Amino acid sequence: MKSIRAPLLLRRQGAASALQHALRRQSHPTSILTASSTRQLRRSSSLSQRLDAKHVMFPGAVKSEFSSTMRFEHPSTYPALPTYRVVDQHGVVVDQSFTPDLSDEEVIKLYRDMLTISIMDVIMFDAQRQGRLSFYMVSAGEEAVSVGTASALAKEDVVFCQYREQGVFQQRGFTLAEFMNQLFANHKDYGKGRNMPVHYGSKQLNIHTISSPLATQLPQAAGAAYALKIQRMQDPSIPPRVVAAYFGEGAASEGDFHAALNIAATRSCPVIFICRNNGYAISTPTLEQYRGDGIASRGLGYGIDTIRVDGNDFWAVREVTKKARDLALQDGGKPVLIEAMTYRVSHHSTSDDSFAYRARVEVEDWKRRDNPIARLRKWMEAKGIWDENKEKEARESIRRDVLKAFAEAEREKKPPLRAMFEDVYEELTPDLKKQMGELKIPNMSNNDRVVIAVLIVLSITVILAVVGIKYVRQVARSRITARQVDHGEANEAGESENHGQAQAQAQA
Amino acid sequence: MKRSTVVIRPSARALSRQASSQSFLLARSSALTSRQRRLYSTHPPNARLNLPIDYATTPLLAHTSQAALSNPELPASVRNGTTKRMNLFQAINDALSTALAEDESVLIFGEDVAFGGVFRCTTKLAETYGGDRVFNTPLTEQGIMGFAIGAAAEGMRPVAEIQFADYVFPAFDQLVNEAAKFRYRDGAGGRSAGGLTVRMPCGGVGHGALYHSQSPEALFTHIPGLKVIIPRGPVQAKGLLLAAIRSNDPCVVMEPKILYRAAVEQVPTTAYELPLGKAEILKEGKDVTVVSYGQPLYKCMAALKAAEQDFGVSVELIDLRTIYPWDKETVFNSVRKTGRCVVVHEAMVNAGVGAEVAAAIQEDPETFVRLEAPVARIAGWSIPTPLVFEQFNLPDVTSKCYLTLGLADVYADGMPRDIRRHQKGDEFLRDLSMNSGILKQSMLHSSRRGVDWLMGIVLDDIILSVFLV
Ligand SMILES: Cc1ncc(C[n+]2csc(CCOP(=O)(O)OP(=O)(O)O)c2C)c(N)n1
Ligand SMILES: [Mg+2]
């Protein structure tokens, strides 16, 4: 990890190129260079302004040309960052360089993923309305962002979600049963019934459990990405991995978002920040959320490779993420920001009625004119791999599967009460044990339970045996006494007979 | 001229005007004074309590190798080893270096840690272990904490530094909502932020004012899922910090920054852990239990020494060490024995650790029935820390504790006697009322000089606590 090469290099090339070298380090942070980063940066900060230089040489800005025109910059004087698109609203390919990299079956699988979450959403939203679960959030209109991006990640990549990314879970293999177990908070829920519905998580699929506080997952994603990077440096047999972190444009106003981008950039973390810009944060439209050129422009400010993409275009989202993953792994790792433009077709959640703050017609227009599922379907139909029949069949079978998983999960038992005290610490503290006692939860492990069950069975057996033996003995004894009595009576009778006879004889 | 027995330092001028029949302590006090005067110019002559703490002689630090190695909590292999003289920041540096060397998943980062940190705790670590494992972060406490949690969740053991405890609040959300709840939220997945350790310097040094003096431990003790640890010196710091780093629960380690250079002791050179969640009885006693942690322990020690001598009481001193989840067992057992308890901390009295300890004692039926006096709290005022008044804000542990302890023997057989009839009680009440006057006077024209001169007394409160216990 350590090397004397870099400092030597600095000495030879002189101060100016040392500075550039130090700067290039940001985009070229191999392990060799980062080890000596402290020395390099110290060197760069001690640079002074050269006489008659055309560029600024202050440590904080190094490529800025001196200008004799006073002009305040405003984002509106620059064109907005473009939005990348592969397939238009009619399902027609507009990027001529595009060739699909998936087999027909693979595309159909991903299409079915989008269909599945949209059908599940409708069913679960209604189920909440019927009072069968406490809460739900749909991702209608945003299916391509989650399924499309997820499809370009590797299984080993680590994912942090916000809450409207059921498509990521579905694409990575979260089963309908797993969705339902979480939603119904039954004993099979990995979260042990502790989290509100839609706070899914899967250790197996490398997706961290969803957390309600907005944007907290973003600096965590940077740290997780740094962990992956260090682990691979320490053990090169580990495959290169990235972290993908999802968030809404509303969450991007949180300090954690800015902290995350900045720290990911300075530590060169292989992380892809994926923003779903769906126009709303609950009721707040983007106009009241931020100014400037969307979330993407923030990425540039932090020195991060950034792209804006049509979030309703499955293919564009997938292509962009594929490329982002490559970039994130280049030069030893670096962050990438994707801003996916989309529209939140449904209410924020089951607790929200969005027609209180937006016109019905606005939503209807979006639904009609642009829907990610419809767009991919048009593309597939044009290609001849999908048709009305297949659509009908798919929808019916998905619906059946969802309802089956629903019914099964709803029937399952709730988690045991002791789960409320577990996992606060690695081990139960004396305090928690005492509080469990106060709640009358037997402070007992499964092993203890088995032992106690065995003891109970044994003691019942012993009691039965004792009672049985007593009974048998009693029966036996009563038989014996009965026989003795019979015998005795007979004797007595005989005796008395004899006696009688004797008496009779005597009387006679 | 004769002087009173109880010389609370700032009352010296008042006392000089006062004749008293008691003089048996005078010789000792002036001896101490002449020695201390050189160390601390603001410290008035003739004072006996509230002397500057002499860290070179305090029994709370191991001044000899033998003393350090006789610690029964250390494993035999460590006790057979060697020691090295270290101050607190060096011991922390030693623990961090040990952790980096023994486990390659340990990372150390924060603001300015690469060059050694503003308190020198990370000196030479970047050079030795490489800039990939020991590095600077941008200035973002929430970013540092989130980054650390993410790294921990992916199997690393990050030790994040927050430059001052006063600046942990932007990271509060990450600590409270994320680090503390990560394992609970993940459930059967078993993922956690347990590898995380957060270090932060805390506490007053005398000139830190509002934003370089705070001790926000109570805020973290309210959060199940976190462990809150405050070491009292180098030996403790090394063992507790190593235990925290190796622990699979997120740990908040708060380091009393006044001790970084002041507290020096012989520290075992090999790696060792000291137990988390376990208090330590620093001195056994029969009549009163004093529960504290961190820097005030030194003041408690001074107070109880004086009180034991003057009042003939026997005081038990307990260092909580882990402030949450704290060792109720040790505290309860002690209070069941002594029947009296004083909780001492530097942070504000309101909703502080003292409140928790006092309530828990009174809630425990077996301990409650043994109580002979209400549990007393000696802690900071419920205000921010004001610069020129800082010495009035740091709880006057020594004199308050002294007085409180002195009153322990006013209660014979659990029955409060008339304090006034108690000779010593009478004396210090007289002193106190006198001092109150001076305090008020000096507060009126609170020149810097007057304030300095009066350092360390908070008299109205002392009178109150005298009557309380
Ligand atoms: C820190 C925090 N503040 C407020 C909330 C309440 N809240 C939940 S979702 C939400 C809106 C988020 O909008 P956005 O990030 O755009 O995501 P979207 O819902 O549009 O997918 C708000 C304010 C929260 N969960 N966390
Ligand atoms: Mg939004």
Side-chain angles (χ1 to χ4, degrees), chain A residues 1-2 31 34-38 42 158 160 189-192 194-195 201-203 206-211 213-217 219-224 226-228 230-231 233-234 241 254-256 259-260 262-264 266-267 269 419-427 429 431 434, chain B residues 104-105 107 114-115 126-140 142-156 170 173-174 177-191 223-227 247-250 324-326 328 356 364:
Chain A
M1 274 197 302
K2 282 198 293 169
S31 55
T34 42
S36 50
S37 64
T38 337
R42 200 169 299 152
V158 173
F160 288 83
D189 167 23
Y190 302 134
K192 304 192 185 178
R194 295 167 185 153
N195 303 310
S202 171
K203 159 109 176 143
N206 284 321
I207 315 177
H208 281 288
T209 300
I210 289 164
S211 164
L214 289 168
T216 51
Q217 76 277 22
Q220 292 172 12
Y226 193 73
L228 304 188
I230 293 288
Q231 284 159 10
M233 274 166 61
Q234 292 172 342
R241 292 174 293 165
E254 293 283 356
D256 272 355
N262 197 27
I263 210 165
T266 53
R267 288 318 300 172
C269 304
M420 73 190 269
F421 289 96
E422 288 169 339
D423 304 332
V424 179
Y425 293 95
E426 189 181 36
E427 282 163 22
T429 60
D431 255 11
K434 185 163 170 285
Chain B
E104 67 173 6
S105 68
L107 302 174
F115 91 109
E127 273 109 312
T128 313
Y129 299 97
D132 295 312
R133 293 180 64 203
V134 182
F135 52 86
N136 288 342
T137 63
L139 250 161
T140 165
Q142 65 201 94
I144 292 168
M145 204 58 61
F147 189 92
I149 293 168
E154 285 306 317
M156 305 303 280
D173 182 41
Q174 285 285 353
N177 273 332
E178 298 293 325
K181 297 175 176 61
F182 212 103
R183 186 197 307 281
Y184 197 72
R185 183 168 81 207
D186 202 48
R191 288 169 293 188
I223 311 302
L226 298 181
K227 289 189 172 172
S247 149
N248 289 328
D249 290 308
Y324 189 76
W326 59 286
K328 291 186 176 171
E356 166 68 12
D364 183 65

Side-chain angles (χ1 to χ4, degrees), chain A residues 142 162-164 247-251 275-282 284 286 289 344 348:
Chain A
E142 302 175 44
Q162 181 159 307
Y163 47 67
R164 212 183 292 286
F247 59 101
E249 89 293 340
C275 176
R276 294 176 293 98
N277 190 334
N278 61 8
Y280 287 94
I282 308 189
T284 306
T286 49
Q289 192 66 247
R344 197 193 79 208
H348 170 69

Side-chain angles (χ1 to χ4, degrees), chain B residues 11 119 203 215 237 302 342 442:
Chain B
S11 67
F119 289 107
S215 282
V342 184
S442 136

Side-chain angles (χ1 to χ4, degrees), chain B residues 3-4 12 27 44 86 88 96 126 174 205 215 228 234 246 276 346 371 378 384-385 407 413 416 444 448:
Chain B
R3 290 196 178 91
S4 158
M86 293 183 201
L88 182 64
L96 294 175
Q174 285 285 353
V205 292
S215 282
V228 184
R246 293 173 186 169
L276 302 183
E346 188 176 308
L371 275 185
I378 296 177
T385 307
L407 265 289
D413 316 318
L444 279 178
R448 180 71 207 255

